[in-house]
Structure formats: structure tokens, C-alpha cells
Amino acid sequence: MIKVAIVGTNGLAQYIANSLATQTSHQFVILSRRPSPGLTAKGWQVLQVDYSNPADLRFKLAGVDTVVSTISGNPQLAVIDAAAAAHVRRFVPSEFGGPPSLRPQNDLLDNGRRAAILRLHQHEASGMKFTIFTCGILYERFAPGGMAASQIGLNSSISQEGEFLMDFRRRRAQIPYLNASGQPATVCMTSAHDVARFVVAALDLLSWPREFRLRGERMSVRDVVAIAEAIQGRSFEISGFTRTSLQDSITYARAVGDRARETRLHHLIATAENRYDFVNTNLNQLVSVQPERFRDYLIRVWSSAS
């Protein structure tokens, strides 16, 4: 049995906490910048922290074996520093997306992730290891209310329903240009609930590599839309971007100061360039988690949607 600290209270953090509480005997605490009575009501221990107070963070992390972060930016950097000072054995940064190796040097979608990885490398000499959990795109992007309904990615510009690739409710889709091989882009996808199950299952493995790759499905973006069309029983209105038209749209969004639309369009570029794709997994084979299929997920979450 080990002690785990979950940093943040968003939907992914809550899925991880629930998996720990129901599937393991591991102890865990949740670090939050504000009181969370809804979580404490579940019987979970929530410790209020001040991310600008290193001593407070070190104290709250005392005795913790593994930190799983679901926050970003300077608060995550502060937690990384405090975890190293508190002799935490391993750290899971808030990545949970495409393979970091595929991100360009000056990535508009970085959101402080490169700085976090650099800081973790710097602390390895002190004995704290880190592992990235690469899972591709979250199914929740296509759920009723989008990722925001699960309190995930609220500052990502694609958190609301229909803001990325496909609007299931309105039966619309935006397909980015073909990749360098002349084929539709391929994406790996996993539900946030299953990502949490994979993370918790991995806690019992003796050895962690630098990167765990896991997924629920791997398919082309056209197949993503085709599955939705089959469930709806109707064709979607599909808009296809060429590389030029997508870049022109970005230029226009930047000119009128629409940063949110610019960011959403950059997510389509990342998709077209296969930054959410990976051929092989190395965690699916090591744990007994059976992830939900994308079709089954869509049917389940939309069957009760208004």
C-alpha cells in the first residue's frame, strides 16, 4: 500500500480518486486551492493548499509516494518543486494527451507542459522519477456539454460541446486536411474514466517507463464522424479544411483578436499532423483494464442527453 496525492479537483482528478477508493487499498489525499465539501462528503481527504507557499506544499506532501497532477502552469511547477523537496518517489505530470515527442518547439497549445517536463528532468538527480501517461484525445470532447461537463480542460478553448472536430448534437463536423501521406488523420482516444483506471492500475506495477501509452480506440477522423453518423442514422454536414484554408482561418482569427477560435483551429492542425496518434501501446498489455469502445461511449452518454 502506498500514499498517493492527487493535485486538483477536476473531473479527471475525481475519476482517479474514485478508482483509488473503490479499486485499491492505497491511501490518497486530494490537494485543492479551495475547500471542496462535495469531495469531503464522499469521505475523501481534501487538503487545502497555497501553491505560492512552498513550505505548505512540502508539509502537505510529506509521506506521499506518488503525485498525480491534473493542474498546469506555475501551480504545477510549485508542486513539482515541493514534491522533490518532500522526497516523493515518482510524479505524474498533467499531460494526458498526445505523445510529447510530437509537439513542436513553440507549441501554441503547450499550456506550460514543456516547462513542467524540464523541471521534472532537473529534479531527477534528487531521486524523484516521472512518467507521462499518453492517452490521445479524451472521448469527453464529444460528450453532451463537452469536456466542461466533466470539469476538464476548462481553459483549453475546446472544452465546450462541439468545439473540436465534431458537433454530435447539431450533426456537423470539421475535418482537417489530409496528412503528409495523403490520408485522413488518425487519432487515439480514451475516456477520462478509463484514463483514471489505467493510472490507478499502473500503481501496482513494479517498474514505470518514462512514458506509458494507453488508449481505448485508434481510428481516422473520418471514422470518428462515421460512427456518430451511424448512431444518429443521419449524415452530418461536413466541412473540409485544406492546409491553406485552415491557415487562412487562423490568420483571420488572429487579426480580429479571436484567440479562442485561433486556438481551436490550432487543435485541428495538431490533429491533421497526427500529434494525437501513436501506433503501439505499452500499458494496455500490462494491466487488466478493458477500455470502453468509442461507439459504446457515444451511445451511453447521448442516450440520456436532452
Side-chain angles (χ1 to χ4, degrees):
M1 184 175 69
I2 62 173
K3 185 175 182 180
V4 179
I6 305 166
V7 187
T9 59
N10 60 33
L12 179 58
Q14 293 184 41
Y15 281 136
I16 294 170
N18 187 66
S19 289
L20 282 166
T22 59
Q23 304 297 322
T24 78
S25 58
H26 298 309
Q27 295 180 319
F28 69 92
V29 297
I30 299 172
L31 304 189
S32 173
R33 69 172 77 234
R34 57 184 64 89
S36 300
L39 302 187
T40 55
K42 296 176 182 287
W44 300 345
Q45 184 180 11
V46 179
L47 302 180
Q48 193 170 350
V49 295
D50 179 357
Y51 293 119
S52 65
N53 186 333
D56 178 58
L57 282 173
R58 288 195 301 271
F59 178 76
K60 300 292 173 53
L61 290 171
V64 167
D65 175 87
T66 302
V67 170
V68 181
S69 173
T70 67
I71 65 173
S72 60
N74 289 330
Q76 179 170 227
L77 295 179
V79 174
I80 291 171
D81 292 341
H87 305 293
V88 167
R89 183 168 66 96
R90 59 191 178 190
F91 196 103
V92 178
S94 184
E95 284 276 344
F96 309 112
S101 60
L102 299 183
R103 290 202 297 266
Q105 185 71 29
N106 298 312
D107 185 12
L108 181 72
L109 309 177
D110 178 76
N111 197 28
R113 288 177 294 186
R114 184 179 295 275
I117 297 303
L118 177 61
R119 188 69 60 88
L120 285 164
H121 275 296
Q122 293 170 347
H123 282 301
E124 276 198 307
S126 68
M128 185 175 73
K129 306 300 181 183
F130 72 94
T131 293
I132 294 163
F133 282 76
T134 295
C135 59
I137 290 168
L138 294 179
Y139 288 171
E140 281 72 11
R141 295 192 187 195
F142 309 106
M147 294 193 296
S150 299
Q151 303 174 49
I152 299 174
L154 295 178
N155 298 318
S156 67
S157 296
I158 56 164
S159 64
Q160 300 299 318
E161 181 182 321
E163 289 190 331
F164 172 77
L165 194 67
M166 177 177 72
D167 187 332
F168 185 90
R169 189 187 303 272
R170 295 175 179 83
R171 296 186 297 277
R172 299 172 183 166
Q174 292 183 320
I175 302 296
Y177 55 86
L178 301 179
N179 62 28
S181 300
Q183 300 295 320
T186 300
V187 293
C188 293
M189 302 187 293
T190 320
S191 74
H193 175 258
D194 284 338
V195 171
R197 294 170 62 214
F198 274 111
V199 171
V200 170
L203 293 172
D204 293 329
L205 298 177
L206 294 179
S207 176
W208 281 20
R210 170 69 75 234
E211 182 181 359
F212 270 132
R213 293 189 175 187
L214 60 113
R215 65 169 177 247
E217 293 267 27
R218 180 175 184 251
M219 64 182 69
S220 74
V221 292
R222 292 197 180 277
D223 284 340
V224 170
V225 178
I227 286 173
E229 289 178 317
I231 292 171
Q232 291 259 24
R234 296 177 63 180
S235 296
F236 280 29
E237 177 187 333
I238 298 176
S239 302
F241 277 108
T242 65
R243 183 184 293 267
T244 300
S245 68
L246 189 50
Q247 191 59 57
D248 287 346
S249 296
I250 288 174
T251 301
Y252 178 77
R254 186 178 299 133
V256 299
D258 191 344
R259 182 61 183 267
R261 175 164 173 76
E262 181 185 351
T263 302
R264 289 195 295 271
L265 292 167
H266 273 284
H267 277 284
L268 288 181
I269 287 181
T271 304
E273 295 179 353
N274 286 342
R275 290 188 221 157
Y276 301 117
D277 182 39
F278 47 93
V279 176
N280 297 314
T281 62
N282 62 349
L283 184 54
N284 290 63
Q285 301 91 318
L286 297 178
V287 297
S288 59
V289 174
Q290 295 297 319
E292 188 173 20
R293 303 299 297 268
F294 181 59
R295 177 188 295 271
D296 295 338
Y297 173 86
L298 282 184
I299 292 172
R300 177 173 60 81
V301 298
W302 283 99
S303 61
S304 57
S306 57

